[in-house]
Amino acid sequence: MSTQTPSRRREAITGLLFLLPVLVIFGAFKFIPILGAAGMSLTRYRLNGDVTFIGGDNYARLLADANFWHSVGVTFLYVALFVPATIVVSLGGAMLLNAVAGGATGIFRALLFVPYLCSFVLAGIVWSWIFRTDGPVNAALHELQLGPVHFLTGKQLLVLASLAVVSVWKGFGYSMLVFLAGLKAQPAEVYEAAVLDGASPRQVFLRITLPLLKPVFFFVLVMETIIGFQVFDTIYVMTGGGPARASFSITYFLYDAGFKFLDFGYAAAIGVALFLIVLVLSILQRRWLEEKETA
């Protein structure tokens, strides 16, 4: 027998009605395409519309493909560079903004958020010029007798680090605002008590700020990990997957399979594999943070 009162049932129905447009949009543009991609990955899909069901052949081919495993390694290395750098820069920017008093906060917030509004293509074009052998960075290094540095045509670690710098510059503004909201929501009396007890700024940051930011930290960590694994625009504009496939990420591999070789079933299998990798990593990150909370 239901214990819900009529008023509670009405509230629940009203809430569902408000959520319905979002659920419909999510289903139409997220859930259904995911199911469609999963179904396509089980077929040999031709551009002329011919579809042949082949079961798990695309996945067996994927597991045996050296190019796939190479792209996985490249993507993990890129994410290992991009995500920590984004979190550090975003949190640092948020703490600086949180320390600024008065109307200046809004001005600095807008200035730091501007790169986020720029497209990845435009950012890639500008930074390609900045990183050129005869670009401004190498010109400055030349004056210091340290150049030239081949940022986009050198060793893999340097190339991926250069791409990560561009992505961090372009995207840290969003996570910065998320961290800033988390900082603004923290109770001031906790900090006042810590100061009265003689806590140093370092102790306040490690013992109060970071623990209170754990839910925000988890959200930023998951979101930036997803963004890192989906990197494509910057690579396409700046390196084209090179040099010698040094920046050949999973999404670039998917692009090659689908739009260069027109192997849409195989490309869908790559997309499903990417989805599963990100899902597993998100679960592992959640468990890691839960263990940190209980430790």
Side-chain angles (χ1 to χ4, degrees):
M1 184 175 177
S2 176
T3 58
Q4 283 188 331
T5 63
S7 61
R8 287 187 175 274
R9 283 197 294 269
R10 284 196 298 271
E11 289 177 0
I13 293 171
T14 303
L16 288 174
L17 288 175
F18 276 110
L19 285 174
L20 187 60
V22 176
L23 294 175
V24 170
I25 293 173
F26 180 83
F29 294 99
K30 293 288 186 179
F31 189 67
I32 293 176
I34 289 173
L35 292 179
M40 186 185 293
S41 70
L42 303 176
T43 67
R44 183 179 293 109
Y45 194 98
R46 300 299 183 190
L47 191 61
N48 61 5
D50 291 341
V51 181
T52 305
F53 180 79
I54 57 174
D57 288 359
N58 282 325
Y59 293 99
R61 175 185 165 192
L62 191 65
L63 293 174
D65 194 337
N67 288 328
F68 170 69
W69 293 111
H70 173 74
S71 69
V72 170
V74 168
T75 306
F76 268 92
L77 180 56
Y78 171 83
V79 170
L81 296 169
F82 165 72
V83 174
T86 302
I87 290 175
V88 169
V89 173
S90 301
L91 181 56
M95 293 187 69
L96 287 173
L97 288 176
N98 194 45
V100 176
T105 305
I107 297 173
F108 287 117
R109 186 187 308 170
L111 289 174
L112 292 174
F113 192 73
V114 165
Y116 184 79
L117 303 177
C118 171
S119 72
F120 270 110
V121 174
L122 180 58
I125 292 172
V126 172
W127 280 91
S128 293
W129 169 73
I130 292 174
F131 282 144
R132 271 171 37 176
T133 307
D134 57 347
V137 175
N138 270 310
L141 292 174
H142 177 72
E143 294 298 324
L144 299 173
Q145 298 183 346
L146 297 175
V149 177
H150 302 286
F151 292 101
L152 302 178
T153 58
K155 294 182 179 180
Q156 182 182 55
L157 185 60
L158 179 60
V159 172
L160 292 178
S162 301
L163 293 171
V165 166
V166 178
S167 296
V168 171
W169 173 85
K170 162 70 177 69
F172 84 95
Y174 176 80
S175 295
M176 179 192 69
L177 293 184
V178 174
F179 274 127
L180 181 61
L183 290 171
K184 293 293 187 184
Q186 292 182 354
E189 56 269 18
V190 176
Y191 288 91
E192 293 171 359
V195 172
L196 291 175
D197 289 340
S200 66
R202 180 176 178 274
Q203 289 174 324
V204 170
F205 176 73
L206 295 177
R207 300 294 180 86
I208 298 176
T209 303
L210 284 184
L212 291 176
L213 279 178
K214 276 185 179 178
V216 178
F217 184 87
F218 171 71
F219 173 79
V220 171
L221 180 64
V222 171
M223 292 302 298
E224 295 299 342
T225 300
I226 293 172
I227 291 171
F229 271 93
Q230 292 179 338
V231 60
F232 174 76
D233 311 64
T234 311
I235 293 175
Y236 182 80
V237 173
M238 298 183 68
T239 63
R245 297 200 172 187
S247 56
F248 193 70
S249 66
I250 298 176
T251 50
Y252 204 90
F253 182 40
L254 188 156
Y255 167 80
D256 265 7
F259 296 97
K260 185 176 179 180
F261 300 107
L262 303 179
D263 197 345
F264 296 109
Y266 192 50
I270 299 169
V272 172
L274 176 60
F275 169 78
L276 293 176
I277 290 172
V278 173
L279 177 63
V280 170
L281 281 176
S282 300
I283 294 172
L284 291 177
Q285 288 170 340
R286 177 61 181 174
R287 289 185 176 178
W288 174 69
L289 283 174
E290 287 177 348
E291 290 175 0
K292 288 287 185 180
E293 288 178 358
T294 57

